[in-house]
Amino acid sequence: MAYKIVFFDIDGTLVDEEKQIPQDTLEAIREMQRSGAEAVIATGRAPYFFKPLADRLGIDSYVSLNGAYVVYRGQVLYKRAIPLNNLEVLVRQAAANNHPLVFEGSEAFFANAEAHPSVHEAVSSARVELPSFDPEFWRKQEIFQAFLHCEAHEEHLYDQAAPELRLIRWHDKAMDVLIDGGSKAKGIEAMLRLLNIRPEEAVAFGDGLNDKEMLEYVGLGIAMGNAHPESLPYADYVTATVDEGGISAGLRYAGIIA
């Protein structure tokens, strides 16, 4: 199979724990781009969180916010915001449980609590700036994703509160909140349809719980050696860790680079 396009998760895939791109990863992606295969970022992050990284890699296409906001070569081609009524339920329930929220639009993000330690700890771990405070931001702009700051033993509090929303844990004190049925795979599907590329002609690299659907959807799903154990069954191949040349080894396995 001659693969035409490759989707890359960021955290734990393109970057290591220090949020740095390993040199061998950088070189492998540049070699891949010279070969004619297209590189696309597929991440739970919002565009403003990864622009410097994308610029360094020479990538201007991305599936962001866990598939809710998709851009191809600078043009928005798909977006799916969380309905206002779902956000109202989430805000009400989070307030009842004293759990702060961060709301992510396509160009900015804001918290509904000022200087909350859980927000600081979780967001800082991603090595990005902290959100400003605007508790009404979710009423003013389209919201494509939110962070719900709670711990694992508190997740059950939201089982019935927002059945039309999907929660995916990414930090001990934070979960992504997206529309039910939303995933990176949905965003990838939209992009492939536009490009007239079959899923079988696509490759995806990932390591997290939010990568399961895309690993299963594409023709070759490659899990990093440092992947979450629950994501491994969805992959076709497990490469080395991000620090041990996992991207270059995976691209060689796919026959995309020599």
Side-chain angles (χ1 to χ4, degrees):
M1 171 66 68
Y3 296 108
K4 297 179 178 179
I5 192 167
V6 185
F7 296 89
F8 296 96
D9 172 52
I10 293 179
D11 297 285
T13 300
L14 285 178
V15 302
D16 57 24
E17 290 188 2
E18 300 302 316
K19 307 306 178 187
Q20 299 299 311
I21 308 172
Q23 185 60 33
D24 67 292
T25 293
L26 191 60
E27 293 170 358
I29 290 178
R30 287 174 176 167
E31 181 180 347
M32 180 195 111
Q33 290 166 325
R34 289 193 296 270
S35 76
E38 186 141 24
V40 179
I41 286 172
T43 180
R45 291 183 178 232
Y48 36 86
F49 288 152
F50 62 80
K51 188 179 187 306
L53 178 143
D55 289 345
R56 188 179 180 200
L57 292 169
I59 297 176
D60 58 2
S61 299
Y62 50 84
V63 173
S64 67
L65 293 160
N66 280 310
Y69 194 79
V70 180
V71 169
Y72 181 70
R73 297 188 178 180
Q75 299 296 314
V76 178
L77 65 88
Y78 173 85
K79 60 181 183 176
R80 188 184 186 197
I82 301 176
L84 193 62
N85 64 309
N86 294 151
L87 289 171
E88 288 173 342
V89 173
L90 176 67
V91 168
R92 186 166 57 248
Q93 185 69 14
N97 296 321
N98 294 314
H99 292 150
L101 292 161
V102 173
F103 303 100
E104 296 179 277
S106 61
E107 298 182 359
F109 71 124
F110 289 88
N112 69 352
E114 287 191 276
H116 195 285
S118 293
V119 174
H120 185 281
E121 181 180 338
V123 177
S124 294
S125 73
R127 306 293 176 89
V128 298
E129 64 181 85
L130 294 172
S132 299
F133 174 64
D134 183 352
E136 297 299 310
F137 179 66
W138 62 278
R139 295 186 185 274
K140 305 171 187 175
Q141 301 287 333
E142 287 185 309
I143 302 302
F144 297 98
Q145 184 170 268
F147 298 153
L148 169 62
H149 293 272
C150 69
E151 298 184 22
H153 70 275
E154 300 169 307
E155 290 181 24
H156 71 279
L157 297 172
Y158 298 90
D159 288 347
Q160 303 301 321
E164 296 177 332
L165 298 176
R166 181 182 180 201
L167 308 180
I168 306 174
R169 182 159 297 280
W170 61 272
H171 186 274
D172 290 345
K173 296 183 178 178
M175 303 182 76
D176 286 334
V177 181
L178 53 154
I179 195 71
D180 189 35
S183 69
K184 293 181 184 182
K186 290 296 184 183
I188 290 173
E189 180 183 17
M191 182 175 289
L192 295 183
R193 188 183 307 117
L194 173 77
L195 301 179
N196 197 28
I197 295 175
R198 293 179 293 117
E200 292 80 8
E201 299 174 300
V203 177
F205 284 79
D207 73 297
L209 294 174
N210 62 339
D211 295 319
K212 295 187 295 186
E213 292 86 358
M214 78 166 181
L215 291 174
E216 185 175 46
Y217 177 70
V218 298
L220 177 60
I222 300 179
M224 304 300 289
N226 47 274
H228 192 289
E230 290 182 26
S231 68
L232 295 178
Y234 297 85
D236 302 296
Y237 178 72
V238 179
T239 186
T241 67
V242 61
D243 294 312
E244 297 175 335
I247 294 295
S248 56
L251 288 173
R252 284 195 297 272
Y253 175 82
I256 294 172
I257 65 173

